[in-house]
Amino acid sequence: MTLTVAVAGATGYAGGEILRLLLNHPAYHSGELEIGALTGNSNSGQKVAALMPNLPPLADRTIQKTAPETLADHDVVFLGLPHGYSAEIANKLPAETLVLDCAADFRLTDEADWVKYYGNDHAGSWPYGIPEVPGRRELIASSRRVAVPGCFPTGATLAALPAVAGGLVEPDLSIVSITGVSGAGKKAAVSLLGSETMGSLKAYNTAGRHRHTPEIAQNLRAVTGGEVRVSFTPVLAPLPRGILTTVTAPVGAGVTTESAHDAFSEFYAEEQFVWVLPHGSQPQTQNVVGTNMCHIQVEVDEAAGKLLITSAIDNLTKGTAGAAVQCMNIALGWDEAAGLPTAAVAP
């Protein structure tokens, strides 16, 4: 049996990355997976060759308008659309279709959080797609709808999760994430021009205003059962891909660098896409480019009384498209790692 896969928003960064991963998926090469409709309203009618020459196997394909009827006869649909558009499309697709939404429409469980940060009606919530969070794999495996996480929440959640779940810190976290410009999507904006970003760093949506703040807090509350305070600051950096995240929080009594490292290593011992680095090594974005990996380090700042955690991910792979394909694999009962690289390009 061959499963057909459609990608809505195929010409965006997330959509293009999904296609790159699907083209290297063993099911694509065996004929079990077929890439169907590629849609994108602003580029409809154009050839893939003109828009994404990095995908030569799809060069002759034509981008179609994004419409439910175009997507409805596929077994799997990836939605790489701007926030606020996914719900309208998804609600018109058959219940048996596996839909993976890379936008925020179904991530938040709290309606008040959604209205505060996004300003329109709350569409509801779907099973959340970070499989490494305890209990999520089972929900993903039994669902035909998955909310793919945001890139910032992926790096921050994976970094903080063992510390919060294990009581290694007080649940009062300061999180700073430095991101490449592709995280803003493939839209024309003066603030993202090369002349505006090269040689410069800029914090934005500070002091709790970034939309990913409640998503991070929601993820961490799920493993502690209590309230979690999150101060999140994103910083734009002049690089195409990657997110480097630092998490600091008051460290618990008796916690040492050695015991924290052991706790993190044990927590992620069975996770093939999370690597707790050896003592003395620090995560670097260059070591995760194009991979579905999250590299993590943890240590105690004794003078400050803080636990310091650092993580690095590729925002387009583990932060978006890789997570989507990982969740697709789980929901279809395939090898979870199928088509997902763990080795980065170097240098």
Side-chain angles (χ1 to χ4, degrees):
M1 176 182 174
T2 298
L3 296 179
T4 57
V5 178
V7 179
T11 61
Y13 287 138
E17 185 75 348
I18 289 168
L19 290 171
R20 181 181 75 89
L21 296 174
L22 292 179
L23 288 170
N24 288 286
H25 199 290
Y28 173 78
H29 292 289
S30 70
E32 296 172 82
L33 182 155
E34 178 182 293
I35 298 175
L38 308 179
T39 76
N41 286 347
S42 62
N43 293 304
S44 63
Q46 297 188 59
K47 294 289 188 181
V48 169
L51 300 167
M52 297 179 287
N54 61 309
L55 304 175
L58 302 173
D60 293 333
R61 302 286 293 278
T62 300
I63 302 300
Q64 302 173 251
K65 282 280 189 182
T66 300
E69 55 269 24
T70 305
L71 306 171
D73 60 350
H74 294 77
D75 300 294
V76 181
V77 174
F78 291 94
L79 299 177
L81 305 173
H83 304 319
Y85 290 87
S86 298
E88 182 179 354
I89 296 287
N91 290 337
K92 295 177 181 178
L93 297 178
E96 63 271 18
T97 302
L98 174 58
V99 183
L100 303 114
D101 180 26
C102 295
D105 293 36
F106 298 99
R107 292 175 191 161
L108 297 181
T109 58
D110 188 286
E111 182 177 0
D113 279 343
W114 175 267
V115 173
K116 176 181 177 180
Y117 284 90
Y118 292 91
N120 54 1
D121 292 338
H122 187 225
S125 61
W126 291 352
Y128 188 81
I130 298 184
E132 293 83 4
V133 174
R136 297 297 175 181
R137 274 192 181 87
E138 294 76 14
L139 292 174
I140 295 166
S142 62
S143 178
R144 296 289 92 181
R145 300 288 190 270
V146 179
V148 179
C151 52
F152 283 133
T154 297
T157 299
L158 292 175
L161 197 62
V164 173
L168 306 182
V169 295
E170 296 177 22
D172 187 0
L173 286 70
S174 177
I175 301 173
V176 178
S177 292
I178 303 171
T179 182
V181 295
S182 62
K186 194 190 288 187
K187 60 179 179 286
V190 171
S191 63
L192 300 177
L193 292 173
S195 57
E196 300 291 331
T197 57
M198 288 188 297
S200 181
L201 295 170
K202 180 180 72 173
Y204 64 99
N205 289 340
T206 53
R209 289 190 294 272
H210 196 280
R211 290 171 167 180
H212 285 168
T213 302
E215 190 177 334
I216 297 168
Q218 173 181 286
N219 295 344
L220 298 176
R221 284 196 302 267
V223 296
T224 187
E227 191 51 47
V228 178
R229 291 164 58 91
V230 170
S231 174
F232 173 59
T233 304
V235 178
L236 185 67
L239 67 159
R241 291 173 177 248
I243 296 177
L244 183 73
T245 295
T246 64
V247 180
T248 55
V251 68
V255 177
T256 65
T257 293
E258 191 69 36
S259 66
H261 193 276
D262 288 347
F264 271 63
S265 298
E266 181 178 353
F267 190 93
Y268 286 125
E270 303 301 320
E271 296 297 345
Q272 55 195 320
F273 295 122
V274 181
W275 184 25
V276 180
L277 300 179
H279 288 294
S281 297
Q282 278 294 330
Q284 299 182 65
T285 56
Q286 68 176 355
N287 294 332
V288 295
V289 170
T291 78
N292 201 51
M293 295 295 296
C294 177
H295 290 186
I296 292 177
Q297 185 56 276
V298 58
E299 53 194 320
V300 172
D301 182 340
E302 294 181 359
K306 299 289 181 67
L307 190 70
L308 169 64
I309 312 150
T310 50
S311 73
I313 63 168
D314 183 324
N315 56 292
L316 293 181
T317 316
K318 183 58 174 168
T320 309
V325 172
Q326 186 178 352
C327 290
M328 177 193 76
N329 289 338
I330 294 170
L332 295 176
W334 291 351
D335 176 4
E336 184 174 332
L340 296 172
T342 56
V345 177

